[in-house]
Amino acid sequence: MHRLSDEYEALRKTVEEFAREVVAPVIGDLYERGEFPYAIVRQMGEMGLFGLPIPEEYGGMGGDYFALCLALEELARVDSSVSITLEAAVSLGAMPIYRFGTPEQREKWLPELASGRMLGAFGLTEPGGGSDVPGGMRTTATLDGGEWVINGTKAFITNSGTDITGVVGVAAITGRTESGKPEISTILVPSGTPGFTVSKKYSKVGWSASDTRELSFSDCRVPEANLLGERGRGYAQFLQTLDEGRVAIAALSVGLAQGCVDECLKYVRERRAFGHPIGHYQAIQFKIADMEVRAHTARLAYYHAAEKMLAGEPFKKEAAIAKLVSSNAAMDNARDATQVFGGYGFMNEYPVGRFYRDAKILEIGEGTSEVQRMLIARQLGLADL
Amino acid sequence: MNIVVCVKQVPDTATERKLRSDDNTLDRDAADGVVNELDEYAVEEALRLKEAHGGEVTVLTMGPDKAADTIRKALAMGADKAVHLVDDALHGSDALSTSYAMAQTLKKIGFDLVILGSESTDARTGVLAAMLAERLGVAQLTLANKVEVEGSAVTIQRVTDYGYDKVQGSLPAVISVVEKINEPRYPSFKGIMAAKKKPVQKLGAAEAELAADQIGLGAAWSEVTEAAAAPPRAAGTVVKDEGDGGVKTADFLSSKKFI
């Protein structure tokens, strides 16, 4: 069953209106200037979007992860920078603290994070490796006099250097297991800690209004109590975080794919060629029909993955499938929408050009399409052959 | 303070709006229903007054069953409860009948302050606030872009062509608001979830003690006898500048009574 309940539908509609009324008029300029959308984020915070899946006792909305996905989709129909800012702040920043944090850590960080007044980030990827964990991981944290001493570098970390970033969860090697494998743990590092340097923003192909930076840690010391949950559980923690995150990125991708359809439906009624609006021609109609099919089927895939996740059932395969098909849909739709717009598709004044630039990362971030296929094959038992 | 906000469901202005072919009244099924935009400002103002002075905000809606969506949105924004005046006998009510039905209901449920948008995007008569105040025998403070309540005194800035008038009245009163008054909030998910549990009282014409001969199409003082689609916009006039472009433009504007 994939009919939204009244409450989900009311939320979806509210975010749809917000994206249309508040985000759409200003995001083009912010994007072009590479400026972080502080005013939009503040309003999203007031609406409670940053607290959607977090219980009310921690200042959240008491909703669930699917509610977050609906908000991500509606935002991404208009803009992906805003959507990924919410996605990373909640899914990677706040949720690990909610899921794995000690009561003290939850009380300290969650009310601020759930309100959107503070953004959290998660540092996993390094210049030398993303999905290749722990093989590619070099960052270390060692205990010394009741403090963790962190050394290493993290790459491509969303939300890590805004004026309102408050905390970064850093995955680090904290020792060796008995069998000699690296032991990974997550340490919470508050922004501004001495030895923790945030570099300037990357110059990116897309997501230009979002904040993405490289982080370096040089004898950065934080209290031993900043260990997130249990020592040595880092790997398990972020596997769960990433499985959920895939569903969230799928929702964002569906939003972009649908946004392409939205823009085309407007444009092909107005733009005329050879005596008719271009939507009169089957070459255009079929393209848009295909775009709608991709967005629709990808949506069903992420709804299904989310349904299994909320039911507490295994959803690894479904999450990977949703991420794979929806990022494909986003990329294909962005390409087709740009084609429908012709020369104007190549101009920054129309959103489809922005969608085109924003789509590619969806096939890379939160596990590349190749990693998704690997996960699906593994779930089918093929890895053991 | 007991505040009642009158909220109307109107057809979405972004969609094509139609009249019914049988009685030339608005076809409410043809388009998506949304909250009349100015009424969202009224809800926001009511919530702000409640936040500042305490009290309770009740939503009052007259409209068919599907207007329940509109009530739900106002409750999600933060109103405490709602009264839904719904009866087939109300269909076709004009502004006079509507003000009668609403005033009767307001007398029944009680109020210190009634707030509503200054007009609706469908009929656009803009007279309901004045009619309500008259029928209820209370102060009428219309077209407000600012509202202040102190004790039993309520002061508004009434928007005029030349600026604003400061108008004061005493509670109970009816206030209509314009869009410059505030920025309506978006409902939060918590608000949406909480709205489910808030009481909505449905009142029929009999329960609201409405006289049958005062409401509905039959009681309307005016009748739409014929309706036609608006003609498509005529092509614009191009003024070619041959040294006298300014004069020609002025002549054109003058012929249309703009200058």
Side-chain angles (χ1 to χ4, degrees), chain A residues 75-365:
Chain A
L75 289 170
R77 271 174 76 183
V78 169
D79 179 68
S80 290
S81 294
V82 172
S83 190
I84 190 61
T85 298
L86 176 64
E87 196 277 338
V90 180
S91 168
L92 304 178
M95 284 306 274
I97 295 178
Y98 167 57
R99 284 223 196 291
F100 314 118
T102 62
E104 294 76 23
Q105 288 166 346
R106 288 171 159 201
E107 269 157 43
K108 176 169 184 183
W109 298 109
L110 288 179
E112 285 293 293
L113 295 172
S115 72
R117 287 190 297 268
M118 179 193 280
L119 296 180
F122 190 69
L124 170 63
T125 298
E126 300 190 358
S131 300
D132 180 17
V133 175
M137 190 175 283
R138 297 286 173 271
T139 299
T140 58
T142 48
L143 267 182
D144 175 58
E147 289 180 323
W148 290 104
V149 184
I150 308 169
N151 282 287
T153 307
K154 295 290 175 183
F156 313 135
I157 308 305
T158 306
N159 286 346
S160 59
T162 72
D163 296 348
I164 52 172
T165 301
V167 62
V168 182
V170 178
I173 296 169
T174 47
R176 297 271 154 192
T177 62
E178 278 173 21
S179 57
K181 283 187 180 155
E183 171 202 89
I184 296 172
S185 310
T186 307
I187 319 275
L188 297 175
V189 181
S191 299
T193 305
F196 168 26
T197 314
V198 180
S199 71
K200 70 178 176 54
K201 279 167 97 164
Y202 289 102
S203 166
K204 297 180 301 231
V205 169
W207 286 0
S208 301
S210 77
D211 182 88
T212 320
R213 298 175 192 255
E214 184 170 285
L215 312 178
S216 60
F217 301 89
S218 172
D219 288 333
C220 172
R221 304 179 80 95
V222 296
E224 187 175 355
N226 284 25
L227 174 74
L228 180 69
E230 283 174 55
R231 182 171 177 166
R233 295 291 298 160
Y235 190 63
Q237 286 171 1
F238 60 68
L239 282 189
Q240 186 179 345
T241 301
L242 292 182
D243 279 342
E244 292 173 350
R246 282 186 187 114
V247 184
I249 293 294
L252 190 159
S253 305
V254 169
L256 190 150
Q258 192 67 52
C260 290
V261 177
D262 297 342
E263 291 302 322
C264 283
L265 286 177
K266 278 187 274 178
Y267 187 74
V268 303
R269 285 181 165 86
E270 291 160 10
R271 173 72 176 175
R272 297 179 71 89
F274 309 108
H276 291 283
I278 60 172
H280 168 81
Y281 302 107
Q282 220 171 39
I284 298 290
Q285 290 175 5
F286 281 13
K287 230 186 227 354
I288 296 175
D290 284 342
M291 290 164 66
E292 176 70 9
V293 167
R294 292 184 202 115
H296 181 83
T297 48
R299 181 177 299 110
L300 294 181
Y302 102 69
Y303 277 20
H304 182 234
E307 199 175 3
K308 294 197 88 168
M309 169 171 61
L310 292 189
E313 296 168 18
F315 68 102
K316 197 179 262 302
K317 184 179 78 177
E318 288 76 12
I321 291 173
K323 163 72 167 60
L324 182 64
V325 298
S326 63
S327 54
N328 281 344
M331 193 66 208
D332 289 349
N333 281 14
R335 191 188 55 239
D336 281 357
T338 310
Q339 192 69 20
V340 166
F341 272 65
Y344 289 109
F346 202 57
M347 299 296 121
N348 282 326
E349 71 178 285
Y350 287 96
V352 290
R354 177 156 45 86
F355 292 167
Y356 189 75
R357 287 162 61 183
D358 288 343
K360 185 58 212 171
I361 184 62
L362 300 169
E363 295 183 325
I364 300 169

Side-chain angles (χ1 to χ4, degrees), chain B residues 24-174:
Chain B
N24 283 332
T25 60
L26 183 66
D27 188 348
R28 295 187 186 276
D29 293 326
D32 285 343
V34 297
V35 182
N36 178 44
E37 200 183 332
L38 279 168
D39 295 344
E40 286 189 25
Y41 294 83
V43 173
E44 177 65 34
E45 198 59 24
L47 295 173
R48 289 184 189 193
L49 286 170
K50 177 194 156 176
E51 281 155 14
H53 302 282
E56 196 175 44
V57 175
T58 305
V59 177
L60 171 60
T61 290
M62 175 174 134
D65 281 328
K66 85 178 220 190
D69 294 343
T70 291
I71 291 173
R72 207 52 76 191
K73 175 153 190 202
L75 293 174
M77 285 173 75
D80 300 290
K81 58 191 174 63
V83 176
H84 187 177
L85 189 53
V86 50
D87 200 308
D88 288 342
L90 289 162
H91 167 74
S93 294
D94 63 359
L96 271 173
S97 322
T98 302
S99 68
Y100 163 76
M102 301 278 281
Q104 287 297 103
T105 311
L106 282 164
K107 280 181 202 162
K108 227 178 157 52
I109 62 179
F111 63 93
D112 297 313
L113 196 57
V114 176
I115 308 183
L116 61 162
S118 54
E119 65 177 26
S120 60
T121 53
D122 51 0
R124 302 197 65 171
T125 59
V127 294
L128 194 65
M131 287 180 170
L132 281 180
E134 200 59 29
R135 287 190 186 274
L136 295 164
V138 301
Q140 177 197 143
L141 302 154
T142 52
L143 302 175
N145 71 356
K146 193 173 176 191
V147 175
E148 270 168 357
V149 176
E150 223 181 300
S152 68
V154 51
T155 310
I156 67 152
Q157 282 185 11
R158 182 178 205 273
V159 177
T160 65
D161 288 341
Y162 44 85
Y164 64 83
D165 294 330
K166 214 162 190 172
V167 185
Q168 198 173 64
S170 55
L171 298 175
V174 174

